[in-house]
Amino acid sequence: NVLTGATEGAYMVDLNADPKHPEYLGELTSTYIHDGYARNDTLWAACINEGNIQVFDVSDKSNPVLLGLQPTSANAAHNCWLSDDGKYLFTTDEIWTGFISSFDVTDVTDIKQLDVIKHGDKDSTIAHNTYYLNGYLVSSHYSEGLTIHDASKPDNLVEVAHYDTSPFGPDAFFEGAWGVYPYFPSGNIIISDIGDGLVVLTPTYQRACYLEGTVYD
């Protein structure tokens, strides 16, 4: 288990033997990690103050090793999540000029941005947390509720669903839908809304239609 916090980048504990009494294994203190995603021995760290995603080898919990880093759309990386095959990373930037972004991370020393997408006006809405589920991105947005994007083509993200948890306001940047969880066996999605509390939705996942080509003029 990897935990992130404001005073230190991250610290790692072992929950296998006794989850009620976790064993401390090590910590990472080279940077402030606002949020992180760990898979096997790799930590994908959203470093909001530095404006990038940093990738660490944490196989030795007492000595994390930086493998690569990548700036995000508005240099305000808030969260990140991997595709199931580990080839693609999706990020959010916690600022109104940011986007949901997709990256090819097959080579962490040479990460490539593939696409960015935004719900709503260019300089207004803020995507807070995004999660990958069966080729879709399920994301919470301040003041705009939930969005679902078809991410089966990571270089061409398409919004396929939206539910506004606060349609009559607020209009402030940091209000409304804060977090989302789409992994229940029932398929239901829960949203934690700052003003309205718990919202439960049953989604219908729909694949996108695409119009692709090359624009010459």
Side-chain angles (χ1 to χ4, degrees):
N1 191 27
V2 179
L3 306 171
T4 59
T7 56
E8 297 175 342
Y11 64 96
M12 289 155 274
V13 298
D14 187 350
L15 302 176
N16 291 292
D18 184 356
K20 292 184 178 180
H21 302 91
E23 177 188 359
Y24 170 83
L25 298 177
E27 58 190 270
L28 190 160
T29 59
S30 60
T31 185
Y32 166 55
I33 300 173
H34 191 70
D35 200 354
Y37 178 82
R39 180 179 292 180
N40 299 323
D41 288 326
T42 305
L43 170 62
W44 304 80
C47 304
I48 193 168
N49 292 343
E50 298 186 32
N52 57 32
I53 298 295
Q54 298 186 25
V55 189
F56 293 91
D57 179 348
V58 292
S59 53
D60 180 354
K61 305 297 186 290
S62 64
N63 184 34
V65 177
L66 180 65
L67 301 176
L69 59 83
Q70 172 66 39
T72 53
S73 63
N75 301 115
H78 175 267
N79 104 299
C80 59
W81 208 263
L82 277 176
S83 60
D84 291 342
D85 60 13
K87 295 180 179 179
Y88 305 103
L89 186 75
F90 304 93
T91 68
T92 58
D93 280 54
E94 195 178 14
I95 191 170
W96 54 92
T97 53
F99 296 80
I100 296 173
S101 304
S102 60
F103 298 90
D104 182 334
V105 294
T106 52
D107 180 357
V108 296
T109 66
D110 185 25
I111 297 173
K112 294 180 173 62
Q113 182 172 289
L114 299 176
D115 197 16
V116 299
I117 194 167
K118 189 179 189 76
H119 173 83
D121 297 334
K122 177 178 178 294
D123 295 327
S124 62
T125 61
I126 301 173
H128 193 224
N129 292 295
T130 192
Y131 300 96
Y132 183 91
L133 176 66
N134 300 328
Y136 293 93
L137 298 180
V138 182
S139 311
S140 57
H141 290 257
Y142 286 121
S143 78
E144 289 293 328
L146 168 83
T147 61
I148 298 176
H149 291 85
D150 186 342
S152 58
K153 300 181 68 171
D155 60 345
N156 193 352
L157 303 174
V158 178
E159 183 177 315
V160 294
H162 171 235
Y163 186 93
D164 191 351
T165 57
S166 48
F168 304 111
D171 295 324
F173 286 136
F174 299 108
E175 297 290 344
W178 191 89
V180 60
Y181 185 84
Y183 298 114
F184 289 109
S186 65
N188 288 342
I189 295 174
I190 60 171
I191 303 168
S192 56
D193 187 281
I194 294 172
D196 294 331
L198 180 69
V199 179
V200 182
L201 303 177
T202 300
T204 299
Y205 291 97
Q206 178 68 50
R207 287 296 175 197
C209 295
Y210 297 92
L211 176 63
E212 296 179 328
T214 302
V215 178
Y216 292 98
D217 188 348

